[in-house]
Amino acid sequence: METNAVRKSPPHLIRLLRYVRPYWPSFAGATLFGLVKFLTPVAAAWVTGEAVGVLQRAGQGVLPPEMAWTKLCHLLFIGIVVTLASSVPTYLRSSIGARAVQSVVRDLRCDLYAHIQKLDHAFFNAHRSGSLTSRIISDSEALQPFLGQALVQGWMNAGVIIVVLAFFFSRNVYLALLSLVLLPCHIFIQRVINWRVKDNARTIRDRLAALAGSTQEKLAASTVVKAFTREDDETQRFSEDSAELIELGIRNSLLGGVSQAVVSTLNSLAPLLVMLVGGYIGIFHSETLSLGLLVQFVLMQGQLYGPFERLNELQLVTANALGATERIFTIFDTEPEVADRPRAIQAPSFRGEIIFRNVTFAYPDNNTPTLIDLTLEIPARTTLALVGPSGGGKSTITYLMTRFYEWQAGSIAIDGRDIRDYKIFSLRNQIGLVPQEPTLFSGTIEENIAYGRPGASPEAVREAAQRAYAAEFIESMDDGYETMLGERGVKLSGGQKQRIAIARAFLKDPAILILDEATSALDSESERYVQQALEDLMQERTTVVIAHRLSTIRHADRIAAIAAGRLVEIGSHDELLQIDGLYANLCRQQYSLGAVEIPETWVEGTA
């Protein structure tokens, strides 16, 4: 089964331009100011040529000295004004353009993060968090050179080329054509080299994302790395992966260097060629070409080939941006398998009756069903414990209740209505979860508890902590509820983390509660506090408990034994002991009362 659908979309750069559209006045303004800045050298070359022409005519006696001096002063004044005035457009182009570029990157990054948040459980199982972080941060950052240079400087360079060519053809067609004779070499070099740079850029970004994911994974599991003394191995692997990136980066730099070297050479040859041919015309046909015009043509060669060289560099920037946009919009094109139905409604306040009817489910890319024709009824405000061999489907039942995945057959209803009729957010908003390993975030203790109900008052947070038996250890800390927790709550013990998670659930006050091995990893002292807090939390709620430690669920209203995706038996603790089936066998094994082999058909299946 395919997990996430990918929709067809327009080319990536066209989609990127949609983010530019709201800021087009800023980009247009930056382009116009930049064009003024870029045309300043053109104006200076024109002034210089005109001045040389004045001096030539004065030397030939065509212009009187006084008139020549006056014209020369006028030209000098124009040159000074143009040069000084160019500083203002330069500043405005930079400030306006930078604001527009940063705004586009921010919008794209926020939309990408929001889209990823909407994707389902299967997507996150298939993508490492480090790789996703790279796409959100690094790939969007890689678009800045494209937005700041290609979208602004591209038009600026094109404008300069048009102005210079218009001047050339209006003054001397032969020299204008001569100025363009080396242009095909520019185009050929760009086409031959830049496509290779584009492919390399995409490979580099893919390798960077993989390296970021692997690095984050290993750093997060530093305890395991150290426990198995794998520090040197991980360092060596990181070094090897980094070396591959260096080779790719060097290859791209060499290709770019070859391109720039050849283009720079052509830029230097162009004015020499014009000077040679123009000089010949000026010497043997002086009546058709003045010295001033020849100077203007020679000086403006740089203003013609310079923009072409910058356009070549912009193509490299564009090639790098294509790799980043492809990776970004591939995520945008991924649609969640689990989504709201077109006519989904807000879930009302649940009583908490849950019914699984003939549910069959297989995980993506797994042909073996994890649940097979499962029928299970959980009356409102009762506690159901799920027990059985690992891989039997216990956790899967809770995943489907919260619609982390879609099942292939059957139905799941809460209070008599299929949960697919409810909007996902409103469904999950009434389901609380206390996992085996609670997730805490960097921030204060108060912020972590309030994660269960954003905007909760400090009083409500403290009441939740009190009910979770967490207030005592929190208030004993120097900063109390304002104590900053490290990454994943490393400053707290396992039992303290669990009580923070229970406080979070108290604050959320859900109608349905899921306890997933909530006490299995705790010492006896911590378990006593946590178990008491959980018993208080379970009052007047529908509770589903997954437990391997059977002593914690013997007082559940009902216990369901699950194996190989099927409901094997269900009843109270005493009833199941009398049946002497799977649950009784598990009890005997755990309490060392004579272990009994479990039939193989009960332990098949997937986790």
Side-chain angles (χ1 to χ4, degrees):
M1 181 185 70
E2 187 174 339
T3 305
N4 296 98
V6 178
R7 60 173 180 265
K8 293 183 178 179
S9 300
H12 301 314
L13 285 182
I14 293 178
R15 298 171 68 184
L16 178 61
L17 293 179
R18 293 175 182 172
Y19 281 88
V20 175
R21 186 185 304 162
Y23 305 101
W24 74 263
S26 297
F27 280 98
T31 301
L32 290 176
F33 287 125
L35 186 59
V36 173
K37 170 187 176 293
F38 274 24
L39 286 176
T40 299
V42 176
W46 176 83
V47 168
T48 303
E50 290 297 311
V52 171
V54 169
L55 293 174
Q56 181 187 26
R57 291 195 299 274
Q60 294 172 345
V62 178
L63 283 178
E66 294 80 5
M67 184 179 296
W69 176 249
T70 301
K71 285 182 175 291
L72 198 62
C73 290
H74 287 167
L75 290 169
L76 180 62
F77 177 76
I78 292 173
I80 292 173
V81 170
V82 168
T83 302
L84 294 178
S86 66
S87 60
V88 175
T90 300
Y91 169 76
L92 292 176
R93 179 187 74 87
S94 298
S95 59
I96 295 174
R99 185 178 297 274
V101 168
Q102 293 295 335
S103 298
V104 172
V105 172
R106 176 203 61 202
D107 293 349
L108 181 66
R109 182 178 290 158
C110 290
D111 284 355
L112 180 61
Y113 185 77
H115 181 77
I116 289 176
Q117 290 290 347
K118 295 176 183 176
L119 296 177
D120 49 43
H121 224 56
F123 173 84
F124 290 97
N125 288 340
H127 294 80
R128 290 190 293 188
S129 58
S131 176
L132 295 177
T133 302
S134 174
R135 299 197 187 196
I136 296 171
I137 304 299
S138 301
D139 286 348
S140 57
E141 198 75 16
L143 298 179
Q144 286 197 37
F146 169 76
L147 295 170
Q149 297 178 33
L151 291 188
V152 175
Q153 292 189 23
W155 292 107
M156 291 158 48
N157 289 308
V160 172
I161 291 171
I162 291 172
V163 170
V164 173
L165 288 178
F167 175 80
F168 279 2
F169 280 99
S170 68
R171 298 302 300 273
N172 191 299
V173 174
Y174 296 109
L175 287 183
L177 292 174
L178 185 63
S179 300
L180 298 176
V181 73
L182 298 178
L183 182 59
C185 296
H186 275 264
I187 297 175
F188 175 76
I189 293 168
Q190 292 166 6
R191 288 188 176 276
V192 168
I193 294 179
N194 288 344
W195 69 270
R196 297 183 181 178
V197 174
K198 173 186 172 182
D199 288 345
N200 274 0
R202 184 186 301 112
T203 303
I204 288 172
R205 300 217 64 81
D206 289 341
R207 296 285 181 85
L208 276 173
L211 181 60
S214 175
T215 302
Q216 180 171 325
E217 187 176 62
K218 294 304 190 301
L219 291 177
S222 60
T223 302
V224 176
V225 173
K226 292 180 181 299
F228 287 90
T229 63
R230 296 296 300 275
E231 296 96 328
D232 291 342
D233 294 335
E234 294 300 337
T235 301
Q236 178 65 26
R237 181 178 300 177
F238 184 86
S239 177
E240 292 171 356
D241 292 342
S242 298
E244 291 182 10
L245 281 172
I246 289 175
E247 290 300 321
L248 289 170
I250 291 175
R251 188 182 307 167
N252 248 19
S253 297
L254 290 175
L255 288 171
V258 170
S259 176
Q260 291 179 9
V262 176
V263 169
S264 297
T265 301
L266 294 176
N267 290 351
S268 300
L269 289 175
L272 296 177
L273 186 61
V274 171
M275 186 181 299
L276 177 64
V277 177
Y280 176 85
I281 296 173
I283 292 172
F284 295 101
H285 305 280
S286 58
E287 70 281 357
T288 63
L289 181 65
S290 68
L291 179 60
L293 182 60
L294 179 59
V295 169
Q296 288 175 337
F297 264 83
V298 171
L299 293 179
M300 288 189 189
Q301 289 300 302
Q303 311 313 316
L304 178 63
Y305 278 78
F308 274 114
E309 184 176 2
R310 289 191 291 269
L311 286 175
N312 174 56
E313 294 172 357
L314 294 182
Q315 288 197 4
L316 298 179
V317 170
T318 303
N320 288 329
L322 283 173
T325 55
E326 182 176 348
R327 289 163 50 81
I328 288 173
F329 287 108
T330 296
I331 297 294
F332 275 119
D333 290 338
T334 302
E335 296 181 332
E337 182 76 15
V338 181
D340 286 333
R341 286 180 169 180
R343 297 182 181 179
I345 63 172
Q346 291 289 335
S349 296
F350 290 150
R351 291 183 297 105
E353 180 190 51
I354 306 170
I355 298 178
F356 283 67
R357 196 170 303 281
N358 306 118
V359 173
T360 296
F361 169 75
Y363 282 100
D365 303 323
N366 190 344
N367 295 326
T368 304
T370 304
L371 297 180
I372 304 172
D373 198 31
L374 178 76
T375 295
L376 183 64
E377 297 186 10
I378 310 172
R381 296 182 176 85
T382 64
T383 297
L384 173 73
L386 301 176
V387 300
S390 297
K394 303 184 296 298
S395 295
T396 301
I397 291 173
T398 63
Y399 293 161
L400 298 185
M401 283 171 49
T402 49
R403 287 200 68 195
F404 285 163
Y405 296 92
E406 289 280 23
W407 53 96
Q408 288 79 46
S411 65
I412 302 174
I414 294 179
D415 294 345
R417 184 158 190 167
D418 194 310
I419 62 174
R420 290 172 294 192
D421 292 338
Y422 300 130
K423 291 185 176 180
I424 295 175
F425 183 85
S426 65
L427 168 70
R428 294 175 183 165
N429 200 39
Q430 297 192 62
I431 300 176
L433 171 66
V434 180
Q436 178 180 1
E437 297 182 5
T439 299
L440 301 183
F441 303 102
S442 297
T444 66
I445 291 178
E446 181 172 340
E447 289 170 345
N448 272 276
I449 296 176
Y451 200 80
R453 195 177 80 207
S457 66
E459 293 74 19
V461 170
R462 283 155 177 75
E463 180 183 353
Q466 191 73 41
R467 298 177 67 185
Y469 296 91
E472 182 178 353
F473 80 80
I474 293 174
E475 292 169 358
S476 68
M477 295 181 171
D478 291 340
D479 296 322
Y481 289 86
E482 296 302 316
T483 299
M484 295 295 297
L485 301 180
E487 185 179 1
R488 293 175 289 118
V490 294
K491 294 184 178 180
L492 301 180
S493 68
Q496 290 172 335
K497 291 180 188 178
Q498 200 66 283
R499 279 177 276 173
I500 294 293
I502 295 170
R504 187 185 286 171
F506 265 118
L507 193 61
K508 185 176 183 179
D509 193 23
I512 298 171
L513 180 65
I514 298 172
L515 305 179
D516 189 355
E517 303 280 0
T519 62
S520 63
L522 302 179
D523 57 75
S524 56
E525 179 67 17
S526 297
E527 183 182 3
R528 182 170 62 86
Y529 284 108
V530 170
Q531 191 64 43
Q532 183 59 54
L534 289 175
E535 290 176 4
D536 294 345
L537 180 61
M538 292 162 61
Q539 297 300 315
E540 297 300 314
R541 306 178 202 278
T542 302
T543 305
V544 178
V545 183
I546 299 175
H548 282 160
R549 191 176 298 181
L550 302 183
S551 61
T552 62
I553 49 95
R554 63 183 303 163
H555 298 300
D557 296 306
R558 292 198 301 170
I559 300 171
I562 308 293
R566 300 179 185 275
L567 175 62
V568 177
E569 57 195 21
I570 187 169
S572 67
H573 171 77
D574 293 334
E575 291 171 345
L576 293 182
L577 288 181
Q578 291 179 0
I579 294 175
D580 197 22
L582 173 59
Y583 179 74
N585 285 336
L586 292 173
C587 286
R588 280 193 287 270
Q589 285 183 323
Q590 195 162 109
Y591 299 144
S592 300
L593 298 178
V596 177
E597 287 294 327
I598 299 174
E600 291 184 2
T601 56
W602 287 359
V603 295
E604 296 174 351
T606 308

